[in-house]
Amino acid sequence: MRRINFTPPFAYSSYIFLGSINGLVCLSEFHDTSVCICNPVTKEYVNIPKFSRESDSDQYKPWARGFGYLPLTNEYKFVESVRLKTDFSIVEVAVYTVGSGKGWRNVGRFDLKCGDTLIDHGVFVNGALSWVNKCGGMVYVLDLAEEKFREHISPPPKPPGWWHGYAIGVLGGVLYYATEHGYHLSESTSDIWLLKGKNDSQGTKEQVEQETLGWSYEFSYPEKKPFALVNGGVLYFHLWSLGIYDAVTSTSKELVRFSSVEQLLPHKNTLISLKELGEEDVKILG
């Protein structure tokens, strides 16, 4: 393992990772939601200014955020959205494009008919950010190129059991859906579904959009967070450890145990420069 130490430029020590794309990492301070984008290798970072709305901020309630990338235009985008307190179904979306020099852009309001939802941070795949309603299971998808929501994706069939939880992520470049269920939290199981086209296409965004997408059941395994598909199984992250699960033999093997790791993200080291992308107020991490 290679360790890279740096101190995020936040007032408090608690923060979360919102994503890692092409070597650029997006972090958010836990208490006041400050956001920075950095390259851990070059130590360059830039603070994303907070979006200022013209109307009274008391009218809004935070909803969802996410970090994504458009390869055709080489644009990195950070998305922040809020809901109206008077109507939780109305979501207002703002986009910050790294290096554009235009700052935040309010791209409009959308009626998602989502109600009072609990949303995790966004998952980026196929040119879009996706969020799952952790209460009802619906998936909301924001197209980063068009900067508008696509048609919602309904969850896969509910499994048996008394307890259900929902999570999404990326496996093999495809959006996955994990439905957690069981009669006790300590003995829960996750059903893993992949979002595929009718011809099982996992190709480009254009190929996927031309097909009718649907959930394809892959396997079930004891409740853990899938991390990556590998030959012979799936890597998972669970209780500070990285392991591999063999769906054929239904066995797990621990590979690495960390002393204190709360998040695990796919990442590759690059020398991408925030200055070369167009950001002016670039600083160096301690």
Side-chain angles (χ1 to χ4, degrees), residues 23-285:
L24 294 184
V25 175
C26 183
L27 306 97
S28 174
E29 201 279 326
F30 190 76
H31 294 281
D32 68 359
T33 67
S34 297
V35 175
C36 85
I37 296 174
C38 71
N39 185 329
V41 176
T42 65
K43 301 294 182 73
E44 281 189 346
Y45 78 92
V46 60
N47 288 316
I48 304 299
K50 292 189 177 183
F51 179 63
S52 177
R53 290 176 172 81
E54 296 179 358
S55 55
D56 187 1
S57 60
D58 291 337
Q59 298 179 11
Y60 303 100
K61 181 178 180 180
W63 190 66
R65 296 179 296 167
F67 179 54
Y69 173 68
L70 295 175
L72 292 179
T73 55
N74 193 33
E75 291 179 306
Y76 294 85
K77 294 186 177 183
F78 179 74
V79 174
E80 179 179 283
S81 57
V82 296
R83 293 181 298 169
L84 296 184
K85 287 185 177 180
T86 55
D87 186 349
F88 280 170
S89 292
I90 304 299
V91 174
E92 184 174 288
V93 178
V95 176
Y96 182 93
T97 303
V98 176
S100 68
K102 300 178 181 179
W104 284 99
R105 291 177 295 105
N106 190 330
V107 299
R109 292 182 176 181
F110 304 88
D111 187 355
L112 301 185
K113 299 178 173 58
C114 55
D116 191 5
T117 56
L118 175 63
I119 302 293
D120 209 345
H121 61 77
V123 172
F124 173 72
V125 63
N126 287 332
L129 282 167
S130 297
W131 297 270
V132 64
N133 177 354
K134 299 180 78 68
C135 300
M138 187 69 72
V139 178
Y140 307 100
V141 184
L142 179 71
D143 189 301
L144 283 183
E146 298 183 5
E147 296 181 343
K148 65 180 182 181
F149 282 91
R150 299 176 185 171
E151 185 176 351
H152 303 340
I153 303 175
S154 298
K158 279 189 177 182
W162 290 349
W163 178 82
H164 296 88
Y166 311 101
I168 58 174
V170 180
L171 281 177
V174 179
L175 186 72
Y176 80 78
Y177 197 109
T179 304
E180 303 162 3
H181 61 95
Y183 296 99
H184 302 282
L185 288 177
S186 60
E187 300 177 356
S188 60
T189 299
S190 287
D191 293 342
I192 304 300
W193 303 72
L194 296 183
L195 187 65
K196 297 181 179 180
K198 58 185 177 181
N199 296 322
D200 291 341
S201 171
Q202 299 182 19
T204 64
K205 171 188 170 186
E206 290 75 14
Q207 291 173 330
V208 172
E209 285 183 341
Q210 290 174 1
E211 299 188 31
T212 301
L213 296 176
W215 296 112
S216 172
Y217 172 77
E218 297 298 315
F219 56 86
S220 298
Y221 73 143
E223 192 275 314
K224 299 176 176 67
K225 182 178 180 180
F227 184 70
L229 293 175
V230 295
N231 291 334
V234 56
L235 288 176
Y236 66 83
F237 179 57
H238 184 63
L239 298 178
W240 296 356
S241 68
L242 177 68
I244 187 169
Y245 177 78
D246 188 326
V248 176
T249 61
S250 300
T251 57
S252 300
K253 178 182 179 181
E254 184 178 279
L255 301 178
V256 181
R257 175 164 289 276
F258 304 101
S259 59
S260 59
V261 173
E262 295 185 4
Q263 284 185 273
L264 204 64
L265 294 176
H267 176 79
K268 65 178 181 179
N269 293 333
T270 68
L271 298 177
I272 291 178
S273 170
L274 290 166
K275 287 184 178 179
E276 293 180 2
L277 287 175
E279 285 293 330
E280 297 181 354
D281 192 18
V282 176
K283 302 177 182 177
I284 303 298
L285 288 165

Side-chain angles (χ1 to χ4, degrees), residues 15-29:
Y15 54 91
I16 59 174
F17 288 83
L18 297 181
S20 173
I21 302 176
N22 299 336
L24 294 184
V25 175
C26 183
L27 306 97
S28 174
E29 201 279 326

